[in-house]
Amino acid sequence: MLQPGRLVQLLTLMKLPWCLLEFLLSAVAQGQEMYAPHSIRLEGDITLGGLFPVHAKGPTGVPCGDIKKENGIHRLEAMLYALDQINSDPELLPNVTLGARILDTCSRDTYALEQSLTFVQALIQKDTSDVRCTNGEPPVFVKPEKVVGVIGASGSSVSIMVANILRLFQIPQISYASTAPELSDDRRYDFFSRVVPPDSFQAQAMVDIVKALGWNYVSTLASEGNYGEKGVESFMQISRDSGDLCIAQSLKIPQDRKDKTYEFDKIIKLLLDTPRARAIIVFASDEDIKQILAAAKRADQVGHFLWVASDTWGSKLNPVLQHEDVAEGAITILPKRAMIEGFDTYFTSRTLENNRRNVWFAEYWEENFNCKLTISGSKKEDTDRKCTGQERIGKDSHYEQEGKVQFVIDAVYAMAHALHQMNKDLCTDFSGVCPEMEHAGGKKLLKYIRSVNFNGSAGTPVMFNKNGDAPGRYDIFQFQATNTSTPGYHLIGQWTDDLQLNIDEMQWGKGVKEIPSSVCSLPCKPGERKRIIKGMSCCWQCELCDGYQYQFDEENCKVCTYNQRPNENRTGCSPIPIVKLEWHSPWAVIPVFLAMLGIIATIFVMATFIRYNDTPIVRASGRELSYVLLTGIFLCYIITFLMIAKPDVAVCSFRRIFLGLGMCISYAALLTKTNRIYRIFEQGKKSVTAPRLISPTSQLAITSSLISVQLLGVFIWFAVDPPNSFVDYDEQKTMEPNQARGVLKCDITDLQIICSLGYSILLMVTCTVYAIKTRGVPENFNEAKPIGFTMYTTCIVWLAFIPIFFCTAQAAEKLYVQTTTLTISMNLSASVALGMLYMPKVYIIIFHPELNVQKRKRSFKAVVTAATMSSRLSHKASDRPNGEAKTELCENVDPNNCIPPVRKSVQKSVTWYTIPPTV
């Protein structure tokens, strides 16, 4: 027994609304029985409570509305039917009669809580010490029946409210229809059990259906309250866990709404804001379902929405009446059930005469047959037709067994089996209910309830898990109205831990067999990756894998390896083609042509010099250094072929050797010549003694030492970095992968090329400096001026080469441009030297041999003195008549012995001065 003070504390902890709490406390404090004006009492040894939505929710200020024929009366009669069956069964609870106290919840949680206090009155100890009758005697109270367990309620919100009260008094409760996942919390609802699976199972089944149909973008719609909101919450949680299902919108149907049409039209408009989310997950009451279908029809959206609804829609006809076209294709779920034939026989035989125990049956009779009884208190005011009492259910009215009848029967039987086992254990030697069982309490009964395991009315096992939930078993239906002989709900599958769906039996609006889509984004094409939109794993934008990327998987692109490029559809990589400078390329043809001409010319000059080796012109040119210089020119032409040849170790080795060697030999010889001329005339200004190291042997030694520096650098290069060929994939890796090429080349960098040529360029610059210093030497003295012109021209060529070479370092055609520029520059350098230094001599040797004669020799002193004096006064030539220049030398000596410079216009012969004794 609970003391009133303790009850106050417990009710306060429940956090009920204050107005309701105040009402309940006042009723308990006064010891007043919560009077249920309409309730069913069945006497028995053990009393079970029953909660059923006999009436719908009433308008504001009125607790109850219209009677609910199927959800209310069918379910209530199912409990009465089950009690009759149990009480007549000699094997189940023998010598024990089950009674009942059945109440109407009016589909309202607060009203149900108020009614449920009737069940706990026997457990509340009333303080009657200050209560006296009018005659002063203490009152005699009729002790209310003790309710050991409750069957119900129907709606989840009602069950939650009632469960909070019943657990305080340790009264077990078994629901036949409440499926809210919240009720699986064994800590808060430890005395609650149910014979239907929770919505978490139903939500899992719905997620499996959506995924099986290839949908990944859906909206949810829920009636306000525990059932709808918790059902959607469970669906969304499972969707998040699955990772490949997205919720476009989650809308709620308000419970208290003034303008129904406006609210539902607004919901449809909101759903159309995400037109790709055609699938709508529905956890709503049948009345809300009917209103939403009507709103979709008003919005002319027949066939657009794909409904996937919970068991509140199930296989009911009422929600789809007059909206069959909008509902066509709807997939609904219902806990696996069977029609109980015994109940059909029982219910269709009910009449006003034989069913007086049901206090709401007369009201049901009026509503079912649309007639009016003559009894007082009739609520049927919309007809004048009188009921005869001879009407028959199923004959004079439509009858179809309500879907939850089976579960009501199973809930009653579960309670009976628990009581039966408890009776066997506690009342071994006692017939009927023994004192031990009577005072056992709700905790012990709950233990027996959670242990039951029997075949229910449909032949399926009835059992509970540790949270009081029944196993998940669902039938899956689809509403079909086209291309079928029997319009209505067709069984298309089932769910028992996993989905079994017969897609071939499904059809959609207007009888279409193809599964419609409800996806956020279409699949990406090959070579495109998904860029997931933040927070929406099934919504993405397709992005082409650009550059050198290929599609690695659905969401990632990866870069091909350095020697590969993406294939045509970018689903993989293929090797990059390898190229080299081909002989037939225009970039190679021109340098090769110039080189061949140069080689022929060089061979011709060398052959001419060898043929006329002892003639004055050849001897005056310095035969030894001339052959060295011609060898360097020849090598400058030869390097063209090495630069174009296919790179390998041998070719790369020869490139390193001859790249700078030809120029080094050429400019070493020229530098030695210009240095010799410079030293001779500088020495002549000071004395008549010949300078040192001007003999041919000395000149060759100096040239060889200069050349050896180049060769030493090359050998060091060989030792530090052995030559090799490789494929350079970066040089022609263009923005467009289809144009990418790998370049087969020697491992010689641009810097190494410049360094290799650097020494030769240094010799060239030094030679140019000497050429400038000896520019005043008469032209007849040892080629000073031709060498100067050669060096000036060569400097111009290489000054043009360097910017071209480096400015094209990043160009796509780098291989071709740089190779061609380098080879042409070397060809031009060689050609300038060949043309300016040797072609005039060859011309005289071949075409004017009469000029190739030896003149009188003069002493070193005379030659130097004449050249010095001539150079001092040569600038005055323009001031003399007829362009003749007279030198100071001629003014002081015998004119016959003076040899002034001769103008080219009157020159009859060429006098080749030699500087004895060197030539």
Side-chain angles (χ1 to χ4, degrees), residues 20 36 69 132 153 183 447 539 589 614 818:
L20 178 60
K69 296 191 296 180
R132 291 291 184 269
L183 289 165
K447 180 181 176 182
C539 297
V589 169
D614 292 326
Q818 290 190 342

Side-chain angles (χ1 to χ4, degrees), residues 177-237:
S178 298
T179 56
E182 183 180 354
L183 289 165
S184 296
D185 187 351
D186 193 44
R187 293 170 300 177
R188 293 183 57 193
Y189 306 104
D190 46 348
F191 282 82
F192 178 85
S193 304
R194 49 187 163 188
V195 292
V196 288
D199 285 337
S200 55
F201 294 165
Q202 184 174 208
Q204 181 65 64
M206 296 170 82
V207 168
D208 291 347
I209 291 170
V210 168
K211 293 170 70 174
L213 295 175
W215 300 339
N216 65 9
Y217 195 47
V218 301
S219 293
T220 64
L221 183 61
S223 292
E224 188 176 33
N226 283 93
Y227 172 78
E229 294 177 30
K230 295 297 182 180
V232 164
E233 183 182 323
S234 180
F235 179 88
M236 293 175 67
Q237 181 60 47

Side-chain angles (χ1 to χ4, degrees), residues 23-40:
F23 170 76
L24 295 175
L25 291 176
S26 62
V28 173
Q30 295 172 9
Q32 164 185 332
E33 178 179 346
M34 297 302 299
Y35 174 66
H38 283 26
S39 63
I40 296 175

Side-chain angles (χ1 to χ4, degrees), residues 525-530 542-559 566-567 569-571 737:
K525 298 176 183 177
E528 294 180 339
R529 74 175 185 93
K530 296 177 181 179
C542 294
E543 290 184 346
L544 182 66
C545 295
D546 56 357
Y548 287 82
Q549 295 181 330
Y550 71 99
Q551 183 185 359
F552 178 71
D553 54 28
E554 286 189 345
E555 298 180 9
N556 296 287
C557 295
K558 281 195 173 182
V559 179
N567 56 23
N569 59 5
R570 292 184 176 271
T571 56

